[in-house]
Amino acid sequence: MMPYATAAEAEAALGRSMTWAEALWFRYSAAMPDLWLMWHIALVYLVVDALAPLPAMILQQLAPGYALRHKPSLVSTYLCYMRESTRVSLAILGPFPLVYTLTFKLFGVRTGLPLPSVWETGMHLVVYTLVEDYLTYWLHRFLHTKWGYEKIHHVHHEKTAPSGFAAVYSHGAELSLLAVTIFAGPAMVPCHVTTHWLWFAIRLMEASDAHCGYNFPFSLAGLIPFFVGAEFHDYHHYAGGKTRTNFGSVFSYCDYIYGTNKSYLHHKRSLAKLKTMKEVEHNMKGSSVKED
């Protein structure tokens, strides 16, 4: 809740006129208690979780050739994951927004004016991505220890050929641990609550992309160096629970640094050799037909 009764008071405190975004934010949140404002994170979670995987699944019907492995039908996949995702979401999100509110008020997450600039928002997102990626890499490695996998992570690996909905198909304890890594950055470098909503939405969309199982030409993995993408993470699920490879969440640089991508690189080289051999064989058959 803002300490201003009118827009004129808010502009007087700012010492300037509000931007259109700030005016919109003032009208929406000025009289809203901070507790309810913080609970919006639950809405962000549920909306993005339900909608982010759909584009790839629709493209599946239009261009199935881009699938890395066989995928079940659109309807059955959507119903299955939405049922499980909703069950887990309700269990986690019940107490979570309250904890989120109390924690981030302590760490100084802002809810009032001014809104952050594009530059400030961008720098925050870079920091949060790097912090979350490094922490999640080591958390993921822990979850692939014997205890971590058998007690927690095996739920996520039930889907050996996942779709975007598999990003949140996990044990409740795993979702809670991942929440710590996602919120670590904003706790270290506080931001405006709108920046945090944006960061949370982007992270959910990236997780959905990594699990979508489709290697599209326009995927970010082909544009951003060391970006994980679907092909990289799909191999992790393909290798199974005992895998010791491809633990990165957003970027794969930790896997390169710590050598946990060797089997994946060997797999890619093997596929490349097989493809070359097939092309040579095809060309030889074509030459034989022409000679005859």
Side-chain angles (χ1 to χ4, degrees):
M1 183 178 294
M2 297 187 194
Y4 315 118
T6 65
E9 290 183 12
E11 290 182 335
L14 288 173
R16 58 172 174 79
S17 298
M18 289 187 287
T19 65
W20 67 268
E22 288 172 334
L24 184 64
W25 180 249
F26 178 83
R27 287 195 296 271
Y28 180 73
S29 66
M32 187 177 294
D34 285 350
L35 178 61
W36 176 238
L37 198 59
M38 292 291 189
W39 270 69
H40 281 53
I41 196 71
L43 180 62
V44 173
Y45 181 96
L46 293 173
V47 171
V48 176
D49 177 40
L51 299 181
L54 288 181
M57 295 187 67
I58 293 172
L59 285 172
Q60 165 195 346
Q61 310 301 311
L62 303 176
Y66 289 106
L68 294 167
R69 285 180 287 145
H70 171 71
K71 303 293 174 184
S73 70
L74 174 64
V75 175
S76 64
T77 301
Y78 187 77
L79 292 177
C80 173
Y81 281 116
M82 281 306 299
R83 182 182 67 248
E84 295 300 325
S85 175
T86 301
R87 177 181 61 82
V88 174
S89 298
L90 292 176
I92 294 298
L93 289 176
F96 173 72
L98 179 59
V99 175
Y100 169 81
T101 301
L102 296 175
T103 302
F104 278 88
K105 290 296 287 184
L106 290 175
F107 285 114
V109 172
R110 309 190 314 275
T111 59
L113 296 174
L115 290 179
S117 66
V118 174
W119 171 256
E120 179 185 348
T121 300
M123 292 304 296
H124 276 138
L125 293 176
V126 169
V127 171
Y128 301 163
T129 300
L130 294 175
V131 170
E132 187 274 341
D133 185 66
Y134 190 77
L135 293 178
T136 301
Y137 172 83
W138 288 105
L139 172 62
H140 200 176
R141 289 191 66 167
F142 162 73
L143 291 173
H144 275 271
T145 61
K146 186 176 186 298
W147 186 92
Y149 187 82
E150 291 180 354
K151 300 296 184 181
I152 300 174
H153 198 48
H154 71 278
V155 175
H156 185 66
H157 272 270
E158 288 177 7
K159 311 303 177 184
T160 57
S163 71
F165 292 108
V168 295
Y169 183 83
S170 302
H171 192 286
E174 180 171 349
L175 291 177
S176 298
L177 291 171
L178 289 172
V180 173
T181 66
I182 292 174
F183 298 146
M188 295 166 61
V189 185
C191 61
H192 195 273
V193 69
T194 54
T195 302
H196 193 256
W197 293 347
L198 178 61
W199 156 239
F200 196 40
I202 289 173
R203 185 62 188 89
L204 286 171
M205 288 188 285
E206 188 283 326
S208 175
D209 175 72
H211 288 85
C212 76
Y214 293 90
N215 190 26
F216 297 115
F218 50 81
S219 296
L220 291 178
L223 303 174
I224 302 176
F226 293 104
F227 193 81
V228 165
E231 183 181 10
F232 185 88
H233 195 70
D234 194 78
Y235 180 77
H236 176 82
H237 279 265
Y238 167 76
K242 295 183 179 180
T243 182
R244 294 293 181 268
T245 187
N246 294 24
F247 294 111
S249 62
V250 180
F251 297 106
S252 60
Y253 67 90
C254 282
D255 288 288
Y256 280 89
I257 292 173
Y258 299 111
T260 50
N261 65 340
K262 292 180 180 179
S263 64
Y264 170 67
L265 295 178
H266 176 74
H267 175 73
K268 289 194 69 173
R269 287 193 295 267
S270 299
L271 290 179
K273 289 181 181 179
L274 182 61
K275 182 179 179 181
T276 301
M277 291 173 61
K278 287 184 177 180
E279 289 176 351
V280 170
E281 183 180 353
H282 177 74
N283 292 335
M284 291 179 64
K285 287 182 178 179
S287 300
S288 299
V289 171
K290 289 181 180 179
E291 291 177 0
D292 293 340

